[in-house]
PDB file of all heavy atoms in Angstrom:
ATOM      1  N   ARG A 262      12.315  -8.397   6.847  1.00 63.00           N
ATOM      2  CA  ARG A 262      11.040  -7.754   6.524  1.00 63.00           C
ATOM      3  C   ARG A 262      11.227  -6.531   5.628  1.00 63.00           C
ATOM      4  O   ARG A 262      10.284  -5.806   5.362  1.00 63.00           O
ATOM      5  CB  ARG A 262      10.308  -7.363   7.806  1.00 63.00           C
ATOM      6  CG  ARG A 262      10.073  -8.524   8.754  1.00 63.00           C
ATOM      7  CD  ARG A 262       9.215  -9.581   8.131  1.00 63.00           C
ATOM      8  NE  ARG A 262       9.055 -10.673   9.089  1.00 63.00           N
ATOM      9  CZ  ARG A 262       8.671 -11.871   8.787  1.00 63.00           C
ATOM     10  NH1 ARG A 262       8.421 -12.183   7.555  1.00 63.00           N
ATOM     11  NH2 ARG A 262       8.550 -12.799   9.703  1.00 63.00           N
ATOM     12  N   LYS A 263      12.434  -6.344   5.143  1.00 75.00           N
ATOM     13  CA  LYS A 263      12.710  -5.216   4.264  1.00 75.00           C
ATOM     14  C   LYS A 263      11.816  -5.253   3.024  1.00 75.00           C
ATOM     15  O   LYS A 263      11.354  -4.217   2.551  1.00 75.00           O
ATOM     16  CB  LYS A 263      14.181  -5.239   3.857  1.00 75.00           C
ATOM     17  CG  LYS A 263      14.612  -4.086   2.993  1.00 75.00           C
ATOM     18  CD  LYS A 263      16.113  -4.150   2.787  1.00 75.00           C
ATOM     19  CE  LYS A 263      16.409  -4.230   1.325  1.00 75.00           C
ATOM     20  NZ  LYS A 263      17.814  -4.338   1.028  1.00 75.00           N
ATOM     21  N   HIS A 264      11.564  -6.453   2.510  1.00 81.00           N
ATOM     22  CA  HIS A 264      10.738  -6.582   1.319  1.00 81.00           C
ATOM     23  C   HIS A 264       9.294  -6.159   1.588  1.00 81.00           C
ATOM     24  O   HIS A 264       8.620  -5.681   0.670  1.00 81.00           O
ATOM     25  CB  HIS A 264      10.791  -8.000   0.771  1.00 81.00           C
ATOM     26  CG  HIS A 264      12.112  -8.337   0.172  1.00 81.00           C
ATOM     27  ND1 HIS A 264      12.531  -7.805  -1.023  1.00 81.00           N
ATOM     28  CD2 HIS A 264      13.116  -9.116   0.620  1.00 81.00           C
ATOM     29  CE1 HIS A 264      13.738  -8.264  -1.299  1.00 81.00           C
ATOM     30  NE2 HIS A 264      14.121  -9.067  -0.315  1.00 81.00           N
ATOM     31  N   LEU A 265       8.818  -6.335   2.810  1.00 88.00           N
ATOM     32  CA  LEU A 265       7.469  -5.857   3.135  1.00 88.00           C
ATOM     33  C   LEU A 265       7.397  -4.347   2.968  1.00 88.00           C
ATOM     34  O   LEU A 265       6.402  -3.821   2.469  1.00 88.00           O
ATOM     35  CB  LEU A 265       7.070  -6.254   4.563  1.00 88.00           C
ATOM     36  CG  LEU A 265       6.743  -7.726   4.793  1.00 88.00           C
ATOM     37  CD1 LEU A 265       6.469  -7.974   6.265  1.00 88.00           C
ATOM     38  CD2 LEU A 265       5.571  -8.163   3.940  1.00 88.00           C
ATOM     39  N   SER A 266       8.455  -3.661   3.357  1.00 90.00           N
ATOM     40  CA  SER A 266       8.496  -2.205   3.182  1.00 90.00           C
ATOM     41  C   SER A 266       8.486  -1.837   1.714  1.00 90.00           C
ATOM     42  O   SER A 266       7.801  -0.891   1.307  1.00 90.00           O
ATOM     43  CB  SER A 266       9.737  -1.615   3.855  1.00 90.00           C
ATOM     44  OG  SER A 266       9.645  -1.757   5.244  1.00 90.00           O
ATOM     45  N   THR A 267       9.226  -2.571   0.910  1.00 92.00           N
ATOM     46  CA  THR A 267       9.264  -2.299  -0.526  1.00 92.00           C
ATOM     47  C   THR A 267       7.898  -2.554  -1.154  1.00 92.00           C
ATOM     48  O   THR A 267       7.406  -1.740  -1.940  1.00 92.00           O
ATOM     49  CB  THR A 267      10.332  -3.178  -1.213  1.00 92.00           C
ATOM     50  OG1 THR A 267      11.592  -2.933  -0.599  1.00 92.00           O
ATOM     51  CG2 THR A 267      10.416  -2.905  -2.690  1.00 92.00           C
ATOM     52  N   LEU A 268       7.272  -3.672  -0.805  1.00 93.00           N
ATOM     53  CA  LEU A 268       5.935  -3.968  -1.321  1.00 93.00           C
ATOM     54  C   LEU A 268       4.929  -2.920  -0.861  1.00 93.00           C
ATOM     55  O   LEU A 268       4.059  -2.505  -1.630  1.00 93.00           O
ATOM     56  CB  LEU A 268       5.482  -5.359  -0.873  1.00 93.00           C
ATOM     57  CG  LEU A 268       6.091  -6.532  -1.611  1.00 93.00           C
ATOM     58  CD1 LEU A 268       5.715  -7.843  -0.928  1.00 93.00           C
ATOM     59  CD2 LEU A 268       5.653  -6.537  -3.062  1.00 93.00           C
ATOM     60  N   TYR A 269       5.056  -2.505   0.385  1.00 93.00           N
ATOM     61  CA  TYR A 269       4.177  -1.468   0.925  1.00 93.00           C
ATOM     62  C   TYR A 269       4.312  -0.185   0.096  1.00 93.00           C
ATOM     63  O   TYR A 269       3.302   0.417  -0.303  1.00 93.00           O
ATOM     64  CB  TYR A 269       4.533  -1.212   2.401  1.00 93.00           C
ATOM     65  CG  TYR A 269       3.822  -0.036   3.012  1.00 93.00           C
ATOM     66  CD1 TYR A 269       2.493  -0.140   3.404  1.00 93.00           C
ATOM     67  CD2 TYR A 269       4.486   1.161   3.209  1.00 93.00           C
ATOM     68  CE1 TYR A 269       1.838   0.946   3.973  1.00 93.00           C
ATOM     69  CE2 TYR A 269       3.838   2.255   3.777  1.00 93.00           C
ATOM     70  CZ  TYR A 269       2.515   2.138   4.162  1.00 93.00           C
ATOM     71  OH  TYR A 269       1.873   3.218   4.708  1.00 93.00           O
ATOM     72  N   GLN A 270       5.538   0.229  -0.197  1.00 94.00           N
ATOM     73  CA  GLN A 270       5.763   1.443  -0.997  1.00 94.00           C
ATOM     74  C   GLN A 270       5.215   1.276  -2.418  1.00 94.00           C
ATOM     75  O   GLN A 270       4.614   2.207  -2.969  1.00 94.00           O
ATOM     76  CB  GLN A 270       7.255   1.796  -1.047  1.00 94.00           C
ATOM     77  CG  GLN A 270       7.828   2.261   0.275  1.00 94.00           C
ATOM     78  CD  GLN A 270       7.103   3.486   0.818  1.00 94.00           C
ATOM     79  OE1 GLN A 270       6.709   4.383   0.081  1.00 94.00           O
ATOM     80  NE2 GLN A 270       6.924   3.513   2.123  1.00 94.00           N
ATOM     81  N   ASP A 271       5.415   0.103  -3.008  1.00 95.00           N
ATOM     82  CA  ASP A 271       4.891  -0.154  -4.350  1.00 95.00           C
ATOM     83  C   ASP A 271       3.361  -0.112  -4.367  1.00 95.00           C
ATOM     84  O   ASP A 271       2.760   0.434  -5.300  1.00 95.00           O
ATOM     85  CB  ASP A 271       5.370  -1.506  -4.875  1.00 95.00           C
ATOM     86  CG  ASP A 271       6.854  -1.516  -5.214  1.00 95.00           C
ATOM     87  OD1 ASP A 271       7.453  -0.426  -5.333  1.00 95.00           O
ATOM     88  OD2 ASP A 271       7.408  -2.621  -5.362  1.00 95.00           O
ATOM     89  N   MET A 272       2.748  -0.675  -3.345  1.00 94.00           N
ATOM     90  CA  MET A 272       1.281  -0.645  -3.281  1.00 94.00           C
ATOM     91  C   MET A 272       0.775   0.780  -3.068  1.00 94.00           C
ATOM     92  O   MET A 272      -0.271   1.152  -3.609  1.00 94.00           O
ATOM     93  CB  MET A 272       0.763  -1.583  -2.178  1.00 94.00           C
ATOM     94  CG  MET A 272       0.845  -3.055  -2.531  1.00 94.00           C
ATOM     95  SD  MET A 272      -0.039  -3.535  -4.043  1.00 94.00           S
ATOM     96  CE  MET A 272      -1.730  -3.229  -3.559  1.00 94.00           C
ATOM     97  N   ARG A 273       1.503   1.561  -2.297  1.00 95.00           N
ATOM     98  CA  ARG A 273       1.123   2.977  -2.132  1.00 95.00           C
ATOM     99  C   ARG A 273       1.204   3.710  -3.471  1.00 95.00           C
ATOM    100  O   ARG A 273       0.340   4.527  -3.793  1.00 95.00           O
ATOM    101  CB  ARG A 273       2.014   3.654  -1.106  1.00 95.00           C
ATOM    102  CG  ARG A 273       1.635   3.294   0.318  1.00 95.00           C
ATOM    103  CD  ARG A 273       2.401   4.081   1.307  1.00 95.00           C
ATOM    104  NE  ARG A 273       2.306   5.510   0.985  1.00 95.00           N
ATOM    105  CZ  ARG A 273       2.639   6.480   1.800  1.00 95.00           C
ATOM    106  NH1 ARG A 273       3.099   6.187   2.987  1.00 95.00           N
ATOM    107  NH2 ARG A 273       2.541   7.734   1.444  1.00 95.00           N
ATOM    108  N   MET A 274       2.231   3.395  -4.263  1.00 95.00           N
ATOM    109  CA  MET A 274       2.373   4.015  -5.576  1.00 95.00           C
ATOM    110  C   MET A 274       1.221   3.592  -6.491  1.00 95.00           C
ATOM    111  O   MET A 274       0.649   4.415  -7.211  1.00 95.00           O
ATOM    112  CB  MET A 274       3.709   3.643  -6.213  1.00 95.00           C
ATOM    113  CG  MET A 274       3.948   4.353  -7.540  1.00 95.00           C
ATOM    114  SD  MET A 274       5.469   3.865  -8.368  1.00 95.00           S
ATOM    115  CE  MET A 274       6.685   4.159  -7.106  1.00 95.00           C
ATOM    116  N   LEU A 275       0.874   2.308  -6.451  1.00 93.00           N
ATOM    117  CA  LEU A 275      -0.240   1.809  -7.252  1.00 93.00           C
ATOM    118  C   LEU A 275      -1.548   2.458  -6.804  1.00 93.00           C
ATOM    119  O   LEU A 275      -2.378   2.840  -7.636  1.00 93.00           O
ATOM    120  CB  LEU A 275      -0.322   0.288  -7.150  1.00 93.00           C
ATOM    121  CG  LEU A 275      -1.402  -0.403  -7.980  1.00 93.00           C
ATOM    122  CD1 LEU A 275      -1.271  -0.077  -9.465  1.00 93.00           C
ATOM    123  CD2 LEU A 275      -1.341  -1.909  -7.744  1.00 93.00           C
ATOM    124  N   LEU A 276      -1.727   2.608  -5.503  1.00 92.00           N
ATOM    125  CA  LEU A 276      -2.915   3.277  -4.965  1.00 92.00           C
ATOM    126  C   LEU A 276      -2.986   4.720  -5.484  1.00 92.00           C
ATOM    127  O   LEU A 276      -4.043   5.189  -5.913  1.00 92.00           O
ATOM    128  CB  LEU A 276      -2.882   3.254  -3.434  1.00 92.00           C
ATOM    129  CG  LEU A 276      -4.015   3.940  -2.698  1.00 92.00           C
ATOM    130  CD1 LEU A 276      -5.347   3.271  -2.974  1.00 92.00           C
ATOM    131  CD2 LEU A 276      -3.740   3.936  -1.194  1.00 92.00           C
ATOM    132  N   LYS A 277      -1.860   5.405  -5.479  1.00 92.00           N
ATOM    133  CA  LYS A 277      -1.818   6.790  -5.950  1.00 92.00           C
ATOM    134  C   LYS A 277      -2.145   6.882  -7.444  1.00 92.00           C
ATOM    135  O   LYS A 277      -2.957   7.722  -7.852  1.00 92.00           O
ATOM    136  CB  LYS A 277      -0.436   7.387  -5.678  1.00 92.00           C
ATOM    137  CG  LYS A 277      -0.299   8.826  -6.109  1.00 92.00           C
ATOM    138  CD  LYS A 277       1.086   9.352  -5.807  1.00 92.00           C
ATOM    139  CE  LYS A 277       1.228  10.775  -6.334  1.00 92.00           C
ATOM    140  NZ  LYS A 277       2.574  11.294  -6.109  1.00 92.00           N
ATOM    141  N   LEU A 278      -1.542   6.018  -8.258  1.00 91.00           N
ATOM    142  CA  LEU A 278      -1.823   6.021  -9.702  1.00 91.00           C
ATOM    143  C   LEU A 278      -3.292   5.720  -9.991  1.00 91.00           C
ATOM    144  O   LEU A 278      -3.909   6.359 -10.842  1.00 91.00           O
ATOM    145  CB  LEU A 278      -0.957   4.989 -10.422  1.00 91.00           C
ATOM    146  CG  LEU A 278       0.455   5.374 -10.771  1.00 91.00           C
ATOM    147  CD1 LEU A 278       1.207   4.177 -11.347  1.00 91.00           C
ATOM    148  CD2 LEU A 278       0.473   6.517 -11.763  1.00 91.00           C
ATOM    149  N   THR A 279      -3.824   4.743  -9.282  1.00 90.00           N
ATOM    150  CA  THR A 279      -5.226   4.372  -9.479  1.00 90.00           C
ATOM    151  C   THR A 279      -6.140   5.504  -9.040  1.00 90.00           C
ATOM    152  O   THR A 279      -7.133   5.803  -9.702  1.00 90.00           O
ATOM    153  CB  THR A 279      -5.549   3.075  -8.714  1.00 90.00           C
ATOM    154  OG1 THR A 279      -4.618   2.062  -9.116  1.00 90.00           O
ATOM    155  CG2 THR A 279      -6.946   2.591  -9.000  1.00 90.00           C
ATOM    156  N   SER A 280      -5.805   6.156  -7.946  1.00 87.00           N
ATOM    157  CA  SER A 280      -6.588   7.292  -7.468  1.00 87.00           C
ATOM    158  C   SER A 280      -6.568   8.437  -8.483  1.00 87.00           C
ATOM    159  O   SER A 280      -7.592   9.060  -8.748  1.00 87.00           O
ATOM    160  CB  SER A 280      -6.034   7.762  -6.124  1.00 87.00           C
ATOM    161  OG  SER A 280      -6.747   8.872  -5.663  1.00 87.00           O
ATOM    162  N   GLN A 281      -5.406   8.692  -9.068  1.00 85.00           N
ATOM    163  CA  GLN A 281      -5.308   9.729 -10.095  1.00 85.00           C
ATOM    164  C   GLN A 281      -6.164   9.369 -11.302  1.00 85.00           C
ATOM    165  O   GLN A 281      -6.816  10.233 -11.884  1.00 85.00           O
ATOM    166  CB  GLN A 281      -3.851   9.920 -10.530  1.00 85.00           C
ATOM    167  CG  GLN A 281      -3.003  10.578  -9.482  1.00 85.00           C
ATOM    168  CD  GLN A 281      -1.511  10.549  -9.836  1.00 85.00           C
ATOM    169  OE1 GLN A 281      -1.083   9.858 -10.753  1.00 85.00           O
ATOM    170  NE2 GLN A 281      -0.728  11.304  -9.085  1.00 85.00           N
ATOM    171  N   GLN A 282      -6.172   8.118 -11.670  1.00 79.00           N
ATOM    172  CA  GLN A 282      -6.990   7.665 -12.795  1.00 79.00           C
ATOM    173  C   GLN A 282      -8.466   7.875 -12.479  1.00 79.00           C
ATOM    174  O   GLN A 282      -9.226   8.318 -13.333  1.00 79.00           O
ATOM    175  CB  GLN A 282      -6.717   6.194 -13.098  1.00 79.00           C
ATOM    176  CG  GLN A 282      -7.550   5.602 -14.200  1.00 79.00           C
ATOM    177  CD  GLN A 282      -7.234   6.162 -15.568  1.00 79.00           C
ATOM    178  OE1 GLN A 282      -6.175   6.728 -15.798  1.00 79.00           O
ATOM    179  NE2 GLN A 282      -8.162   6.042 -16.481  1.00 79.00           N
ATOM    180  N   MET A 283      -8.857   7.567 -11.256  1.00 73.00           N
ATOM    181  CA  MET A 283     -10.254   7.759 -10.855  1.00 73.00           C
ATOM    182  C   MET A 283     -10.618   9.248 -10.872  1.00 73.00           C
ATOM    183  O   MET A 283     -11.691   9.607 -11.329  1.00 73.00           O
ATOM    184  CB  MET A 283     -10.497   7.181  -9.454  1.00 73.00           C
ATOM    185  CG  MET A 283     -10.418   5.680  -9.380  1.00 73.00           C
ATOM    186  SD  MET A 283     -11.711   4.838 -10.293  1.00 73.00           S
ATOM    187  CE  MET A 283     -13.159   5.485  -9.495  1.00 73.00           C
ATOM    188  N   ASN A 284      -9.711  10.094 -10.394  1.00 69.00           N
ATOM    189  CA  ASN A 284      -9.980  11.528 -10.377  1.00 69.00           C
ATOM    190  C   ASN A 284     -10.042  12.103 -11.783  1.00 69.00           C
ATOM    191  O   ASN A 284     -10.783  13.051 -12.040  1.00 69.00           O
ATOM    192  CB  ASN A 284      -8.923  12.265  -9.558  1.00 69.00           C
ATOM    193  CG  ASN A 284      -9.029  11.949  -8.078  1.00 69.00           C
ATOM    194  OD1 ASN A 284     -10.078  11.536  -7.598  1.00 69.00           O
ATOM    195  ND2 ASN A 284      -7.931  12.115  -7.364  1.00 69.00           N
ATOM    196  N   ALA A 285      -9.256  11.550 -12.696  1.00 62.00           N
ATOM    197  CA  ALA A 285      -9.250  12.029 -14.076  1.00 62.00           C
ATOM    198  C   ALA A 285     -10.538  11.657 -14.798  1.00 62.00           C
ATOM    199  O   ALA A 285     -10.932  12.308 -15.757  1.00 62.00           O
ATOM    200  CB  ALA A 285      -8.055  11.455 -14.828  1.00 62.00           C
ATOM    201  N   ASN A 286     -11.185  10.616 -14.344  1.00 61.00           N
ATOM    202  CA  ASN A 286     -12.426  10.140 -14.972  1.00 61.00           C
ATOM    203  C   ASN A 286     -13.573  10.218 -13.984  1.00 61.00           C
ATOM    204  O   ASN A 286     -14.053   9.200 -13.520  1.00 61.00           O
ATOM    205  CB  ASN A 286     -12.277   8.689 -15.437  1.00 61.00           C
ATOM    206  CG  ASN A 286     -11.263   8.532 -16.523  1.00 61.00           C
ATOM    207  OD1 ASN A 286     -11.101   9.408 -17.346  1.00 61.00           O
ATOM    208  ND2 ASN A 286     -10.558   7.416 -16.514  1.00 61.00           N
ATOM    209  N   GLU A 287     -13.995  11.430 -13.651  1.00 60.00           N
ATOM    210  CA  GLU A 287     -15.142  11.568 -12.759  1.00 60.00           C
ATOM    211  C   GLU A 287     -16.295  10.783 -13.368  1.00 60.00           C
ATOM    212  O   GLU A 287     -16.654  10.976 -14.524  1.00 60.00           O
ATOM    213  CB  GLU A 287     -15.523  13.035 -12.583  1.00 60.00           C
ATOM    214  CG  GLU A 287     -14.511  13.823 -11.777  1.00 60.00           C
ATOM    215  CD  GLU A 287     -14.334  13.323 -10.356  1.00 60.00           C
ATOM    216  OE1 GLU A 287     -15.322  12.890  -9.720  1.00 60.00           O
ATOM    217  OE2 GLU A 287     -13.199  13.342  -9.873  1.00 60.00           O
ATOM    218  N   LEU A 288     -16.836   9.884 -12.587  1.00 55.00           N
ATOM    219  CA  LEU A 288     -17.800   8.942 -13.133  1.00 55.00           C
ATOM    220  C   LEU A 288     -19.244   9.322 -12.877  1.00 55.00           C
ATOM    221  O   LEU A 288     -19.586   9.900 -11.853  1.00 55.00           O
ATOM    222  CB  LEU A 288     -17.579   7.557 -12.505  1.00 55.00           C
ATOM    223  CG  LEU A 288     -16.238   6.927 -12.773  1.00 55.00           C
ATOM    224  CD1 LEU A 288     -16.161   5.604 -12.051  1.00 55.00           C
ATOM    225  CD2 LEU A 288     -16.064   6.727 -14.241  1.00 55.00           C
ATOM    226  N   ILE A 289     -20.034   8.942 -13.842  1.00 56.00           N
ATOM    227  CA  ILE A 289     -21.467   8.951 -13.678  1.00 56.00           C
ATOM    228  C   ILE A 289     -21.782   7.576 -13.106  1.00 56.00           C
ATOM    229  O   ILE A 289     -21.182   6.579 -13.503  1.00 56.00           O
ATOM    230  CB  ILE A 289     -22.161   9.132 -15.049  1.00 56.00           C
ATOM    231  CG1 ILE A 289     -21.689  10.431 -15.686  1.00 56.00           C
ATOM    232  CG2 ILE A 289     -23.661   9.063 -14.921  1.00 56.00           C
ATOM    233  CD1 ILE A 289     -22.066  10.566 -17.145  1.00 56.00           C
ATOM    234  N   ASP A 290     -22.719   7.501 -12.167  1.00 57.00           N
ATOM    235  CA  ASP A 290     -23.057   6.182 -11.633  1.00 57.00           C
ATOM    236  C   ASP A 290     -23.667   5.318 -12.729  1.00 57.00           C
ATOM    237  O   ASP A 290     -24.464   5.777 -13.532  1.00 57.00           O
ATOM    238  CB  ASP A 290     -24.047   6.300 -10.474  1.00 57.00           C
ATOM    239  CG  ASP A 290     -23.353   6.584  -9.167  1.00 57.00           C
ATOM    240  OD1 ASP A 290     -22.149   6.292  -9.067  1.00 57.00           O
ATOM    241  OD2 ASP A 290     -24.011   7.103  -8.256  1.00 57.00           O
ATOM    242  N   PHE A 291     -23.272   4.072 -12.757  1.00 57.00           N
ATOM    243  CA  PHE A 291     -23.809   3.118 -13.702  1.00 57.00           C
ATOM    244  C   PHE A 291     -23.786   1.751 -13.049  1.00 57.00           C
ATOM    245  O   PHE A 291     -23.155   1.549 -12.024  1.00 57.00           O
ATOM    246  CB  PHE A 291     -23.034   3.114 -15.028  1.00 57.00           C
ATOM    247  CG  PHE A 291     -21.554   2.859 -14.856  1.00 57.00           C
ATOM    248  CD1 PHE A 291     -21.048   1.575 -14.846  1.00 57.00           C
ATOM    249  CD2 PHE A 291     -20.672   3.924 -14.699  1.00 57.00           C
ATOM    250  CE1 PHE A 291     -19.695   1.350 -14.680  1.00 57.00           C
ATOM    251  CE2 PHE A 291     -19.316   3.701 -14.542  1.00 57.00           C
ATOM    252  CZ  PHE A 291     -18.831   2.410 -14.530  1.00 57.00           C
ATOM    253  N   GLU A 292     -24.492   0.832 -13.662  1.00 61.00           N
ATOM    254  CA  GLU A 292     -24.579  -0.514 -13.106  1.00 61.00           C
ATOM    255  C   GLU A 292     -23.273  -1.268 -13.346  1.00 61.00           C
ATOM    256  O   GLU A 292     -22.752  -1.299 -14.443  1.00 61.00           O
ATOM    257  CB  GLU A 292     -25.729  -1.253 -13.780  1.00 61.00           C
ATOM    258  CG  GLU A 292     -26.105  -2.527 -13.069  1.00 61.00           C
ATOM    259  CD  GLU A 292     -27.389  -3.103 -13.610  1.00 61.00           C
ATOM    260  OE1 GLU A 292     -28.364  -2.348 -13.739  1.00 61.00           O
ATOM    261  OE2 GLU A 292     -27.396  -4.308 -13.902  1.00 61.00           O
ATOM    262  N   HIS A 293     -22.734  -1.869 -12.297  1.00 58.00           N
ATOM    263  CA  HIS A 293     -21.494  -2.642 -12.400  1.00 58.00           C
ATOM    264  C   HIS A 293     -21.824  -4.074 -12.776  1.00 58.00           C
ATOM    265  O   HIS A 293     -22.734  -4.668 -12.225  1.00 58.00           O
ATOM    266  CB  HIS A 293     -20.736  -2.606 -11.070  1.00 58.00           C
ATOM    267  CG  HIS A 293     -20.362  -1.227 -10.648  1.00 58.00           C
ATOM    268  ND1 HIS A 293     -19.352  -0.511 -11.240  1.00 58.00           N
ATOM    269  CD2 HIS A 293     -20.884  -0.412  -9.718  1.00 58.00           C
ATOM    270  CE1 HIS A 293     -19.254   0.664 -10.679  1.00 58.00           C
ATOM    271  NE2 HIS A 293     -20.180   0.761  -9.754  1.00 58.00           N
ATOM    272  N   SER A 294     -21.050  -4.610 -13.700  1.00 73.00           N
ATOM    273  CA  SER A 294     -21.379  -5.948 -14.183  1.00 73.00           C
ATOM    274  C   SER A 294     -20.205  -6.930 -14.170  1.00 73.00           C
ATOM    275  O   SER A 294     -20.366  -8.058 -14.558  1.00 73.00           O
ATOM    276  CB  SER A 294     -21.922  -5.846 -15.613  1.00 73.00           C
ATOM    277  OG  SER A 294     -20.937  -5.274 -16.453  1.00 73.00           O
ATOM    278  N   LEU A 295     -19.027  -6.511 -13.728  1.00 77.00           N
ATOM    279  CA  LEU A 295     -17.872  -7.406 -13.748  1.00 77.00           C
ATOM    280  C   LEU A 295     -17.779  -8.198 -12.442  1.00 77.00           C
ATOM    281  O   LEU A 295     -17.117  -7.802 -11.506  1.00 77.00           O
ATOM    282  CB  LEU A 295     -16.578  -6.614 -13.951  1.00 77.00           C
ATOM    283  CG  LEU A 295     -16.227  -6.244 -15.367  1.00 77.00           C
ATOM    284  CD1 LEU A 295     -14.958  -5.406 -15.399  1.00 77.00           C
ATOM    285  CD2 LEU A 295     -16.060  -7.465 -16.228  1.00 77.00           C
ATOM    286  N   SER A 296     -18.419  -9.338 -12.423  1.00 78.00           N
ATOM    287  CA  SER A 296     -18.390 -10.167 -11.220  1.00 78.00           C
ATOM    288  C   SER A 296     -17.094 -10.972 -11.123  1.00 78.00           C
ATOM    289  O   SER A 296     -16.839 -11.603 -10.098  1.00 78.00           O
ATOM    290  CB  SER A 296     -19.593 -11.103 -11.196  1.00 78.00           C
ATOM    291  OG  SER A 296     -19.561 -11.936 -12.335  1.00 78.00           O
ATOM    292  N   SER A 297     -16.274 -10.950 -12.173  1.00 81.00           N
ATOM    293  CA  SER A 297     -15.038 -11.729 -12.175  1.00 81.00           C
ATOM    294  C   SER A 297     -13.881 -11.022 -11.470  1.00 81.00           C
ATOM    295  O   SER A 297     -12.821 -11.614 -11.281  1.00 81.00           O
ATOM    296  CB  SER A 297     -14.633 -12.059 -13.614  1.00 81.00           C
ATOM    297  OG  SER A 297     -14.493 -10.876 -14.378  1.00 81.00           O
ATOM    298  N   LEU A 298     -14.075  -9.771 -11.069  1.00 81.00           N
ATOM    299  CA  LEU A 298     -13.023  -9.055 -10.342  1.00 81.00           C
ATOM    300  C   LEU A 298     -12.955  -9.544  -8.899  1.00 81.00           C
ATOM    301  O   LEU A 298     -13.968  -9.964  -8.333  1.00 81.00           O
ATOM    302  CB  LEU A 298     -13.298  -7.549 -10.353  1.00 81.00           C
ATOM    303  CG  LEU A 298     -13.077  -6.853 -11.688  1.00 81.00           C
ATOM    304  CD1 LEU A 298     -13.644  -5.437 -11.641  1.00 81.00           C
ATOM    305  CD2 LEU A 298     -11.599  -6.820 -12.035  1.00 81.00           C
TER     306      LEU A 298
END
């Protein structure tokens, strides 16, 4: 299960990067249109 720990750490890093991106771009509310996500 060592790889689960590695994936967990990688996902935490991705979460942190994405969170920083969100904080850097304080958003105005707008209508979401990407239903393919």
